[in-house]
Amino acid sequence: MSARSYLHGILSMFVTVHPHETSALLHSSSCFFFILSAYFVVLPLRDEGAISLGLSKLPGLFVGSLALTLVAAPVSTLIFSLPNLSKAKALVLIHRFFSVSLVVFFVLWHSSSAGHSSSKWKGSDFVSSTLKEDSEVDVSQPGAEHSVSWDVHGWFYVLVRIGLFLWVSLLNLITISSTWARIIDVMDSESGLRLFGFIGAGATLGQLFGSLFATGMAWLGPFLLLFAALLMELAAQSSKGIIRHISHTSEEMSLIRKADPDQQNEADGQAAPVKKGSSPKSPTSLMNPQIWAMLDGLRLILSSTYLLYVSLFLWLSAVVSSFFYFQKVTVIAMTVSTPVERRKLFAQINSFIAVFILAGQLTLTGRILTIAGVTTAICSTPFVSFTNLVAIAVWPTWFAVAISETVRKVVTYVVTRPGRELLFTVVSQDEKYKAKVCIDVIVQRLGDATAAGMYKLLFSTLNGRTSTVSLYALPVCLLWIVTAFHLGHRQAQLAKLQTVSTT
């Protein structure tokens, strides 16, 4: 008990946390640390394998990633819909599944590499990025259009590299979205305002650790997959502690929404029968054939105006974010002469950003969300993105890109991303586990694909005039701002209604 009090005292230095929230907070943050560490440890290997197939093949891999996502999102929904599997156990199962899959890919990679030199990994100056889109910078570099014939490699070699590229992208989206779904089910809007920033700091630390480890231990080659598998198993173990602790005092009980039987079972460590009327779960979901349960997420989205607005918000966010990525690599490719200098610049920008994000998440996020509220939080990034696009249009240099990217991503991960997760604290449990995964995974990929098509069309039509291309994204930002404003006000209304109904 004294150790727990000491730990609570340390956490209180960074975040306003109640004693009964300490365990869930630490397990949530550590779970994200291990997930992001695993992702960024294996990311250089994924990209090295894709590049070995020819840089001109990378756009096709993005399309394949979208197709795989459209299949995987309903499957993850089905897992959370199984009546005999608690939500906590379902999350452990998802993390463990990806852990085992990385071991399988290690065996496949090692087998497919027979006859190919393993020395390519040793001495590589590949710099692992701290953000997923920056890892694919070479796609847009001048001279990257050259193609390597797949006939040079065996079909097994090609399939393994393609499979790993698609699988790692899927791992990132599914595990993060599923974990957030669990966290917002355990925490309410009030606790999320205080704690989501600290939880996000765990993810940022994971990015830093994974990137540094992959850079320093690049000589391990495919053995990085085994280390990433271990990290995913640690994420599975950490996710077991993301549970709602029911206090024995009436004061703390008033802060917690009525727990459904699933969560009570997890707190007790035993299974109990589901009682009618005690869970927000739809009674028809247990009666539907399991194959139809896979489509529950899409059904819930289409039947809720609020979730449709959330989907629009995330789609616009993905479009603008990917648009910035293409703008960034285009400007830097035009202004920085050599590939090595470009990689070094990207690494410096990402490291600079990560330090500011981590500092902000540990010290500012909770205070900003508590004082400013959700509406201001989710409107911040659209507004900053609008001003950044204007800045790049007026001053299309690598320095302007670096400053704009730093400001945009710090605001995104310190303020807007935690606010975005708070949007799901006011929906039903079904919507948290089923609709959220579909929104986070499918809508994200659709936004990326939309931005890629838009930018390619605009860049070719406008003959590569970067400053003019930026201006065409301004209407998207304006729509994003309006959507965020409406959505923030609606979330605040639902949060008040939720508070009244639980007191």
Side-chain angles (χ1 to χ4, degrees):
M1 187 64 182
S2 59
R4 181 177 298 180
S5 299
Y6 179 73
L7 185 60
H8 176 261
I10 295 178
L11 288 176
S12 297
M13 298 172 60
F14 300 98
V15 62
T16 303
V17 56
H18 301 312
H20 68 274
E21 299 170 331
T22 301
S23 178
L25 175 64
L26 287 177
H27 282 92
S28 300
S29 185
S30 62
C31 185
F32 275 123
F33 172 83
F34 291 126
I35 292 173
L36 271 295
S37 293
Y39 174 68
F40 282 91
V41 161
V42 78
L43 194 58
L45 183 65
R46 182 202 75 164
D47 293 327
E48 186 269 342
I51 290 172
S52 71
L53 302 178
L55 295 177
S56 63
K57 305 296 192 302
L58 287 176
L61 293 178
F62 292 142
V63 176
S65 180
L66 172 61
L68 181 61
T69 298
L70 293 175
V71 175
V75 174
S76 63
T77 297
L78 174 62
I79 294 175
F80 281 118
S81 302
L82 296 176
N84 297 324
L85 189 66
S86 69
K87 300 299 184 288
K89 291 180 180 178
L91 183 60
V92 173
L93 179 64
I94 290 174
H95 290 157
R96 189 160 290 161
F97 170 74
F98 280 105
S99 175
V100 173
S101 70
L102 291 176
V103 176
V104 173
F105 270 108
F106 166 76
V107 176
L108 294 175
W109 185 289
H110 189 73
S111 301
S112 67
S113 296
H116 294 275
S117 174
S118 62
S119 63
K120 286 188 298 182
W121 253 83
K122 298 179 181 180
S124 171
D125 64 347
F126 184 87
V127 180
S128 85
S129 69
T130 56
L131 291 165
K132 65 100 180 171
E133 64 265 23
D134 293 338
S135 65
E136 291 121 9
V137 59
D138 289 293
V139 178
S140 300
Q141 292 176 359
E145 294 79 14
H146 70 274
S147 175
V148 177
S149 174
W150 286 5
D151 295 335
V152 176
H153 309 292
W155 65 269
F156 187 42
Y157 179 96
V158 172
L159 288 180
V160 170
R161 269 65 183 175
I162 293 176
L164 182 65
F165 187 95
L166 301 180
W167 197 252
V168 172
S169 300
L170 185 68
L171 178 153
N172 181 46
L173 286 175
I174 294 292
T175 55
I176 290 177
S177 179
S178 299
T179 303
W180 269 118
R182 180 61 186 161
I183 292 172
I184 62 178
D185 189 32
V186 169
M187 300 181 184
D188 56 19
S189 183
E190 186 276 332
S191 59
L193 288 170
R194 293 182 286 104
L195 305 179
F196 281 3
F198 187 88
I199 293 172
T204 304
L205 281 174
Q207 292 178 12
L208 288 173
F209 172 79
S211 297
L212 292 174
F213 185 90
T215 301
M217 305 297 287
W219 57 272
L220 287 174
F223 286 92
L224 290 172
L225 288 165
L226 295 180
F227 185 64
L230 174 61
L231 290 170
M232 283 306 303
E233 175 58 29
L234 292 175
Q237 296 298 326
S238 296
S239 68
K240 294 179 179 179
I242 307 176
I243 60 175
R244 178 181 297 160
H245 289 273
I246 306 300
S247 174
H248 297 290
T249 63
S250 59
E251 291 81 8
E252 290 189 340
M253 281 291 288
S254 65
L255 296 177
I256 304 176
R257 298 191 302 273
K258 180 185 288 186
D260 64 274
D262 225 6
Q263 293 161 328
Q264 293 173 0
N265 296 344
E266 292 152 16
D268 297 335
Q270 299 176 349
V274 178
K275 299 177 182 179
K276 282 188 176 182
S278 60
S279 172
K281 191 182 297 183
S282 171
T284 60
S285 65
L286 300 179
M287 299 167 57
N288 288 336
Q290 291 185 356
I291 188 64
W292 292 112
M294 298 173 64
L295 303 177
D296 275 354
L298 295 175
R299 176 184 60 80
L300 290 168
I301 294 171
L302 295 176
S303 61
S304 170
T305 304
Y306 179 77
L307 291 178
L308 287 173
Y309 270 105
V310 174
S311 300
L312 177 60
F313 174 84
L314 184 56
W315 180 79
L316 292 169
S317 174
V319 169
V320 174
S321 178
S322 297
F323 201 89
F324 263 106
Y325 161 65
F326 290 117
Q327 278 288 75
K328 178 179 63 177
V329 297
T330 301
V331 171
I332 291 181
M334 295 172 125
T335 56
V336 182
S337 57
T338 67
V340 173
E341 290 176 351
R342 286 192 288 265
R343 290 173 186 150
K344 183 178 179 180
L345 178 59
F346 277 117
Q348 290 173 342
I349 292 174
N350 291 329
S351 300
F352 191 65
I353 291 172
V355 171
F356 278 97
I357 290 175
L358 181 61
Q361 288 172 329
L362 289 175
T363 59
L364 298 177
T365 299
R367 293 177 174 85
I368 292 175
L369 289 178
T370 302
I371 297 173
V374 175
T375 302
T376 301
I378 63 176
C379 287
S380 299
T381 298
F383 179 78
V384 169
S385 298
F386 184 90
T387 58
N388 284 354
L389 286 171
V390 174
I392 294 176
V394 175
W395 192 20
T397 65
W398 71 263
F399 185 76
V401 168
I403 297 299
S404 298
E405 189 74 351
T406 299
V407 174
R408 184 181 69 86
K409 288 188 175 179
V410 168
V411 172
T412 297
Y413 288 100
V414 173
V415 182
T416 300
R417 180 58 189 267
R420 192 186 92 187
E421 300 303 332
L422 284 169
L423 296 175
F424 293 96
T425 60
V426 295
V427 299
S428 69
Q429 189 187 59
D430 262 5
E431 291 168 334
K432 290 173 182 176
Y433 284 101
K434 299 175 184 179
K436 184 183 190 304
V437 174
C438 287
I439 292 173
D440 283 349
V441 177
I442 295 178
V443 175
Q444 175 76 31
R445 285 292 181 235
L446 287 174
D448 293 341
T450 303
M454 286 174 54
Y455 194 83
K456 182 177 181 180
L457 176 62
L458 289 172
F459 198 74
S460 59
T461 303
L462 299 173
N463 298 320
R465 294 197 297 271
T466 305
S467 58
T468 307
V469 171
S470 296
L471 297 177
Y472 279 87
L474 294 179
V476 180
C477 276
L478 288 175
L479 178 59
W480 191 15
I481 293 173
V482 173
T483 303
F485 185 79
H486 172 80
L487 197 56
H489 275 279
R490 183 57 181 156
Q491 192 276 346
Q493 293 173 352
L494 293 175
K496 289 179 180 179
L497 291 174
Q498 189 179 68
T499 302
V500 171
S501 64
T502 56
T503 54

